[in-house]
Amino acid sequence: MRVVTKSFWPVLLLYGFLSLLIWPAQATASENVLVTNQPMIPLSQAVSVFRNSGDPLTLQALLAQQNANLFTPTNKNNTTNFGLTQDEIWLRLELHTTDSTPDRWFLEIKHPSLDVIECHIANQKDGIFTSQLNGDLVAFNQKPYAHFTPIFELQLQSKQQYVLYVKVKSQGTVTVPLKLWQPDALWQADQRSYAFLSLYYGILFGLLVYNLFIFFSLRDPIYLIYVAFIGFLGLGQAGLSGLSYQFLLPDSVWLANLIPTTATAAAGIFGSIFAHRFLGNTLQRLHLNKLMLVYSLGFIVICIVSILGHYHLAAMAVNLWGLLFALSALILGSISLYLKQPGSRFFVLAWISLLTGIIVITLHNIGVLPTNFYTINSLWIGSAIEMLLLAMALADRINELQNQHQTAQAQALHIKQEMINAAKENERLLESRVESRTQELALVNQQLLKSEQQLIFQANHDPLTQLANRNLLQQKIQYLQAQGEGFAVIVADLDKFKPINDQYGHAAGDQVLLTLAERLKIFVEDADWVARVGGDEFILILPHFDQKPHLQDICAELQTVVSQPITLKDGTRLTITVSVGFAIYPDDADSLDTLLSKADDAMYQHKNSKSFN
């Protein structure tokens, strides 16, 4: 069982670090968006924002103040995530179409729980605005499109300029991730979203039915409490994703708006009761018998506040109270683990998972973390892992309690001669279980070895080109120095690489780097003798090469090979060049830093000698 516990740590740590540390690449904010024939265009980083904390504004009132410089570009560390705020949020951007721009588009705001969303668009020729209304205060069956996220249809004519205003007001978290879709691309993205949601609710439904069967078999109330916990947790997630509005309550605006906070608080009620029963022995030893009941009472109050219509207050309270509850459960679970209570290992892992999700979503909701795949879905991922681990904790708890019972029974029956045969059978079963656990241990060790190998590879290689990174490069050079062998290093730096990114996009730049990496491998015996040490800088190690004329020939051949045209995915042909420089060990330098520095200086001399248009 210890092996199973250890195998979850890398997964959970990786999930936590990804959620907290991965920040999306930010582009320079601009209100102008060129709409061509792309399947999807992200708009969040191109908008300007006006936060209105005063009286509500109509579009006409806003336009009357357009000379007041109300709008400011989005903050690069925040984009369109505004946290728990009651401000009225206005977003503005301009769309420029070309002769290849399709007529029909959909503007998607992938945050279904926003209360009111207004979309206003006008052709700058006539300035006549077309307005649409959406949000979860609009009955689902009254929306123009049966879609689980708010979408607006936009009709765009070619070679025109449009101005778009989006107004958002909500009592909960205000996050406005904007994307412009072509219809077919939106449909394909929807299928991926439904697949993700189906997986989540498939896991939830399986655990729910399984634990219901266990409850009816054992009549232990803790299983029924667990079923209620995951049921309400799934319902709250359905409210946040828009599924409850689409499939359960398409006619009831009030209930659909109530579900996300109220169902989450209800899950907190049963989660705290579950923790109270599961950690009963630990709570008694620490004289904290009432602690989890206090949390349960707090969640009940949050439910009542939400039902009474104070949604903003309830949303803020459920985030903070839930975070405090998860921290307490984790601390008490860790104490139970120290006291070797049954099932405590999986219980701790479960609350680590949920706590990670809660921390990330809470920091996202209050505007600290940006909007990306991990922050938006952190509670989904964390709760799914938590549900699985809590089910395993219950199973482990039963297993350990049964083991304790069997041990006591075996000791009692040991004094009776007539139970010798039964004792032998128990011994045979124990051997079978040991063999099974041994096989599990071997499988887990294989998985750990594979994970270790993957981590070693990732630590020593560039994630894009799979070439060696600076760390592996230094190891290779130090190995050659230790062998006392002469070798040469060649520094190759792409010329005018930034304009390629600027003109053709980062995907084209990545293709150029991958092509260059393949071409550089030609000049070495082993791919690990080529390293990417910067955005567009590469270093080659040539063992046993210590003759300068020969190296000059290699550099010339390298430039010829690299300069062969590259055909991008869109058919564009590019010709790239590199500046190179080399240094020889130990003729030019006897230390790693000096050797690389001289090769780098030679490369820059080569680059400076060129004439770029």
Side-chain angles (χ1 to χ4, degrees), residues 491-542:
V491 176
D493 188 84
L494 268 173
D495 297 326
K496 302 177 69 174
F497 179 63
K498 185 177 184 299
I500 295 177
N501 276 333
D502 294 340
Q503 183 174 357
Y504 301 101
H506 289 280
D510 290 347
Q511 183 181 348
V512 169
L513 292 174
L514 289 169
T515 303
L516 177 59
E518 293 300 319
R519 293 177 178 178
L520 293 178
K521 290 178 185 178
I522 299 173
F523 296 90
V524 294
E525 297 178 358
D526 187 339
D528 281 346
W529 293 107
V530 182
R532 182 187 177 199
V533 297
D536 54 358
E537 185 177 357
F538 299 80
I539 293 180
L540 293 80
I541 305 175
L542 303 179

XYZ file of all heavy atoms in Angstrom, residues 491-542:
410
model
N 29.489 27.601 -32.523
C 28.290 28.351 -32.127
C 27.597 28.829 -33.400
O 28.221 29.491 -34.234
C 28.626 29.540 -31.218
C 27.366 30.340 -30.914
C 29.273 29.061 -29.935
N 26.301 28.480 -33.549
C 25.507 28.886 -34.731
C 24.303 29.677 -34.255
O 23.536 29.202 -33.411
C 25.060 27.665 -35.528
N 24.161 30.884 -34.775
C 23.065 31.762 -34.364
C 22.272 32.181 -35.610
O 22.858 32.659 -36.597
C 23.615 32.991 -33.643
C 22.506 33.825 -33.030
O 22.093 33.488 -31.908
O 22.066 34.797 -33.671
N 20.942 31.959 -35.547
C 20.090 32.334 -36.685
C 20.135 33.841 -36.920
O 20.097 34.630 -35.973
C 18.644 31.916 -36.417
C 18.232 30.528 -36.926
C 16.849 30.211 -36.440
C 18.301 30.470 -38.437
N 20.192 34.234 -38.187
C 20.149 35.648 -38.548
C 18.698 36.072 -38.766
O 17.919 35.387 -39.432
C 20.937 35.889 -39.846
C 22.417 35.542 -39.672
O 22.941 35.749 -38.557
O 23.020 35.062 -40.645
N 18.361 37.212 -38.175
C 17.034 37.831 -38.414
C 15.894 36.835 -38.151
O 14.982 36.665 -38.948
C 16.964 38.372 -39.840
C 18.055 39.400 -40.163
C 17.997 39.868 -41.590
C 16.768 40.698 -41.828
N 16.763 41.289 -43.178
N 15.969 36.179 -36.967
C 14.911 35.220 -36.625
C 13.663 35.913 -36.094
O 12.549 35.474 -36.345
C 15.437 34.240 -35.569
C 14.422 33.230 -35.119
C 13.898 32.301 -36.006
C 13.964 33.228 -33.807
C 12.966 31.378 -35.581
C 13.031 32.314 -33.392
C 12.535 31.385 -34.284
N 13.833 37.015 -35.377
C 12.665 37.701 -34.808
C 11.671 38.155 -35.884
O 10.461 38.022 -35.705
C 13.123 38.899 -33.968
C 11.981 39.605 -33.247
C 12.512 40.743 -32.380
C 11.378 41.391 -31.582
N 10.373 41.969 -32.463
N 12.127 38.696 -37.023
C 11.135 39.069 -38.061
C 10.315 37.890 -38.554
O 9.176 38.068 -38.970
C 12.013 39.646 -39.173
C 13.245 40.148 -38.474
C 13.488 39.199 -37.350
N 10.889 36.688 -38.512
C 10.103 35.512 -38.931
C 8.948 35.310 -37.968
O 7.796 35.077 -38.371
C 11.007 34.266 -38.981
C 12.060 34.433 -40.073
C 10.168 33.013 -39.232
C 13.049 33.284 -40.151
N 9.222 35.389 -36.659
C 8.145 35.265 -35.675
C 7.118 36.377 -35.849
O 5.910 36.143 -35.780
C 8.712 35.310 -34.254
C 9.195 33.965 -33.790
O 8.698 32.938 -34.247
N 10.170 33.937 -32.900
N 7.620 37.589 -36.037
C 6.699 38.727 -36.141
C 5.823 38.631 -37.384
O 4.635 38.956 -37.349
C 7.505 40.039 -36.166
C 8.229 40.284 -34.853
O 7.816 39.670 -33.841
O 9.185 41.077 -34.818
N 6.421 38.197 -38.502
C 5.675 38.210 -39.777
C 4.823 36.956 -39.969
O 3.699 37.029 -40.449
C 6.653 38.349 -40.944
C 5.953 38.455 -42.324
C 6.939 38.736 -43.434
O 8.131 38.915 -43.181
N 6.442 38.782 -44.644
N 5.369 35.794 -39.581
C 4.663 34.553 -39.900
C 4.088 33.863 -38.662
O 3.358 32.881 -38.795
C 5.612 33.577 -40.601
C 6.182 34.136 -41.888
C 7.482 34.657 -41.929
C 5.421 34.161 -43.049
C 8.005 35.172 -43.092
C 5.938 34.679 -44.225
C 7.231 35.192 -44.250
O 7.729 35.695 -45.395
N 4.385 34.354 -37.468
C 3.830 33.765 -36.259
C 4.798 32.792 -35.599
O 5.750 32.301 -36.200
N 4.531 32.508 -34.320
C 5.435 31.658 -33.546
C 5.408 30.210 -34.029
O 6.400 29.490 -33.871
C 5.063 31.719 -32.060
C 5.408 33.042 -31.437
N 6.678 33.375 -31.020
C 4.635 34.136 -31.185
C 6.698 34.610 -30.535
N 5.465 35.083 -30.611
N 4.279 29.766 -34.605
C 4.243 28.398 -35.130
C 5.239 28.253 -36.270
O 5.955 27.247 -36.378
C 2.837 28.055 -35.604
N 5.331 29.275 -37.129
C 6.310 29.236 -38.214
C 7.731 29.295 -37.657
O 8.638 28.597 -38.132
C 6.079 30.402 -39.172
N 7.926 30.126 -36.637
C 9.247 30.187 -36.008
C 9.656 28.844 -35.425
O 10.812 28.418 -35.555
N 8.687 28.147 -34.779
C 8.999 26.826 -34.237
C 9.373 25.855 -35.351
O 10.278 25.015 -35.196
C 7.798 26.286 -33.464
C 7.560 27.046 -32.173
O 8.458 27.805 -31.760
O 6.488 26.882 -31.603
N 8.653 25.927 -36.495
C 8.986 25.037 -37.620
C 10.401 25.298 -38.129
O 11.148 24.376 -38.472
C 7.962 25.214 -38.738
C 8.183 24.274 -39.924
C 7.170 24.489 -41.028
O 6.173 25.185 -40.847
N 7.409 23.901 -42.185
N 10.793 26.579 -38.183
C 12.151 26.922 -38.626
C 13.187 26.334 -37.664
O 14.202 25.756 -38.084
C 12.295 28.456 -38.738
C 13.760 28.847 -38.929
C 11.453 28.984 -39.896
N 12.919 26.467 -36.354
C 13.867 25.944 -35.366
C 13.983 24.422 -35.457
O 15.085 23.854 -35.355
C 13.420 26.356 -33.964
C 13.520 27.853 -33.645
C 12.910 28.134 -32.284
C 14.966 28.339 -33.688
N 12.842 23.736 -35.661
C 12.874 22.277 -35.779
C 13.655 21.845 -37.031
O 14.426 20.885 -37.003
C 11.446 21.733 -35.831
C 10.665 21.814 -34.518
C 9.202 21.500 -34.737
C 11.248 20.848 -33.496
N 13.427 22.564 -38.135
C 14.146 22.231 -39.362
C 15.653 22.454 -39.187
O 16.488 21.649 -39.613
C 13.609 23.083 -40.525
O 12.204 22.880 -40.653
C 14.296 22.718 -41.829
N 16.001 23.576 -38.558
C 17.414 23.865 -38.319
C 18.054 22.792 -37.455
O 19.179 22.352 -37.702
C 17.553 25.243 -37.657
C 18.985 25.661 -37.286
C 19.883 25.688 -38.510
C 18.971 27.020 -36.593
N 17.312 22.341 -36.432
C 17.845 21.301 -35.550
C 18.145 20.027 -36.332
O 19.196 19.388 -36.138
C 16.849 21.016 -34.432
N 17.240 19.628 -37.221
C 17.473 18.425 -38.017
C 18.693 18.588 -38.923
O 19.469 17.647 -39.137
C 16.223 18.101 -38.843
C 15.016 17.677 -38.018
C 15.318 16.437 -37.207
O 15.980 15.519 -37.741
O 14.935 16.394 -36.028
N 18.865 19.773 -39.485
C 19.998 19.992 -40.382
C 21.331 19.995 -39.632
O 22.364 19.550 -40.147
C 19.808 21.295 -41.142
C 18.630 21.236 -42.117
C 18.386 22.553 -42.839
N 17.279 22.433 -43.782
C 16.819 23.447 -44.537
N 17.402 24.641 -44.456
N 15.807 23.250 -45.360
N 21.319 20.507 -38.417
C 22.561 20.535 -37.642
C 22.993 19.144 -37.198
O 24.185 18.890 -36.982
C 22.386 21.444 -36.423
C 22.212 22.944 -36.723
C 22.000 23.711 -35.438
C 23.413 23.498 -37.492
N 22.025 18.221 -37.034
C 22.377 16.868 -36.601
C 23.247 16.148 -37.638
O 23.927 15.171 -37.309
C 21.100 16.051 -36.360
C 20.295 16.477 -35.150
C 19.038 15.633 -35.036
C 18.141 16.099 -33.903
N 16.882 15.308 -33.822
N 23.195 16.605 -38.868
C 23.983 15.966 -39.923
C 25.481 16.005 -39.598
O 26.246 15.113 -39.982
C 23.704 16.655 -41.283
C 22.214 16.525 -41.642
C 24.581 16.090 -42.382
C 21.831 17.324 -42.864
N 25.900 17.041 -38.871
C 27.326 17.297 -38.684
C 27.896 16.633 -37.437
O 29.057 16.858 -37.089
C 27.562 18.809 -38.627
C 27.227 19.511 -39.918
C 25.941 20.008 -40.129
C 28.165 19.641 -40.931
C 25.603 20.653 -41.304
C 27.836 20.279 -42.104
C 26.566 20.779 -42.320
N 27.079 15.853 -36.724
C 27.575 15.200 -35.515
C 27.222 13.716 -35.554
O 26.284 13.295 -36.239
C 26.979 15.838 -34.237
C 27.457 17.251 -34.084
C 25.458 15.788 -34.270
N 27.988 12.906 -34.814
C 27.732 11.476 -34.769
C 26.524 11.145 -33.914
O 25.794 10.209 -34.187
C 28.964 10.762 -34.226
C 30.205 10.915 -35.107
C 31.410 10.225 -34.485
O 31.271 9.677 -33.376
O 32.480 10.214 -35.121
N 26.326 11.901 -32.855
C 25.241 11.646 -31.907
C 24.419 12.935 -31.781
O 24.987 14.033 -31.665
C 25.829 11.245 -30.550
C 24.764 10.815 -29.570
O 23.580 11.189 -29.748
O 25.097 10.124 -28.606
N 23.062 12.801 -31.785
C 22.203 13.991 -31.728
C 22.461 14.817 -30.474
O 22.254 16.035 -30.469
C 20.732 13.580 -31.782
N 22.933 14.190 -29.392
C 23.178 14.928 -28.154
C 24.418 15.803 -28.221
O 24.741 16.519 -27.270
C 23.290 13.962 -26.975
C 21.935 13.494 -26.495
O 20.928 14.109 -26.885
O 21.893 12.516 -25.734
N 25.167 15.753 -29.329
C 26.299 16.657 -29.488
C 25.866 18.004 -30.065
O 26.698 18.869 -30.311
C 27.359 16.030 -30.394
C 28.025 14.824 -29.812
C 27.853 13.542 -30.180
C 28.975 14.784 -28.736
N 28.609 12.687 -29.417
C 29.327 13.440 -28.511
C 29.558 15.765 -27.930
C 30.225 13.043 -27.535
C 30.471 15.363 -26.949
C 30.794 14.017 -26.757
N 24.553 18.162 -30.333
C 24.003 19.458 -30.752
C 23.099 19.947 -29.624
O 22.261 19.196 -29.125
C 23.180 19.343 -32.061
C 22.685 20.723 -32.482
C 24.021 18.731 -33.158
N 23.244 21.205 -29.234
C 22.460 21.752 -28.127
C 21.822 23.068 -28.548
O 22.410 23.846 -29.312
C 23.338 21.964 -26.891
N 20.620 23.265 -28.063
C 19.964 24.575 -28.206
C 20.116 25.296 -26.878
O 19.594 24.849 -25.855
C 18.485 24.419 -28.552
C 17.771 25.755 -28.768
C 16.280 25.575 -28.932
N 15.599 26.859 -29.069
C 14.300 27.045 -28.862
N 13.525 26.028 -28.496
N 13.748 28.236 -29.019
N 20.821 26.419 -26.890
C 21.135 27.118 -25.645
C 20.448 28.469 -25.536
O 20.628 29.174 -24.550
C 22.654 27.295 -25.497
C 23.341 25.955 -25.395
C 23.207 28.087 -26.679
N 19.694 28.838 -26.532
C 18.968 30.102 -26.510
C 17.802 30.029 -27.462
O 17.526 28.984 -28.071
N 17.090 31.136 -27.643
C 15.958 31.130 -28.539
C 16.331 30.698 -29.935
O 15.663 29.858 -30.553
N 17.419 31.257 -30.483
C 17.828 30.916 -31.851
C 19.330 30.628 -31.905
O 19.972 30.817 -32.938
C 17.454 32.046 -32.808
C 18.020 33.404 -32.351
O 18.665 33.447 -31.272
O 17.824 34.378 -33.064
N 19.905 30.184 -30.799
C 21.341 29.914 -30.730
C 21.588 28.438 -30.461
O 20.945 27.844 -29.572
C 21.990 30.748 -29.624
C 23.517 30.599 -29.599
C 24.148 31.503 -28.547
O 23.426 32.261 -27.905
O 25.365 31.434 -28.370
N 22.495 27.837 -31.228
C 22.809 26.420 -31.132
C 24.332 26.247 -31.006
O 25.113 27.073 -31.487
C 22.312 25.665 -32.375
C 20.830 25.745 -32.576
C 20.234 26.862 -33.154
C 20.006 24.694 -32.190
C 18.877 26.929 -33.350
C 18.640 24.754 -32.378
C 18.066 25.873 -32.947
N 24.709 25.146 -30.346
C 26.127 24.830 -30.184
C 26.349 23.384 -30.596
O 25.613 22.481 -30.181
C 26.585 25.048 -28.731
C 26.534 26.545 -28.370
C 28.000 24.522 -28.534
C 26.963 26.844 -26.952
N 27.367 23.148 -31.434
C 27.760 21.811 -31.862
C 29.099 21.468 -31.221
O 30.000 22.321 -31.131
C 27.897 21.720 -33.382
C 26.634 21.861 -34.239
C 26.245 23.322 -34.399
C 26.834 21.194 -35.598
N 29.235 20.227 -30.777
C 30.494 19.726 -30.231
C 31.048 18.705 -31.219
O 30.358 17.754 -31.605
C 30.290 19.066 -28.861
C 29.596 20.037 -27.896
C 31.626 18.604 -28.297
C 29.263 19.405 -26.567
N 32.291 18.902 -31.634
C 32.939 18.002 -32.603
C 34.160 17.362 -31.939
O 35.248 17.958 -31.881
C 33.355 18.768 -33.855
C 32.232 19.521 -34.607
C 32.794 20.246 -35.806
C 31.134 18.560 -35.021
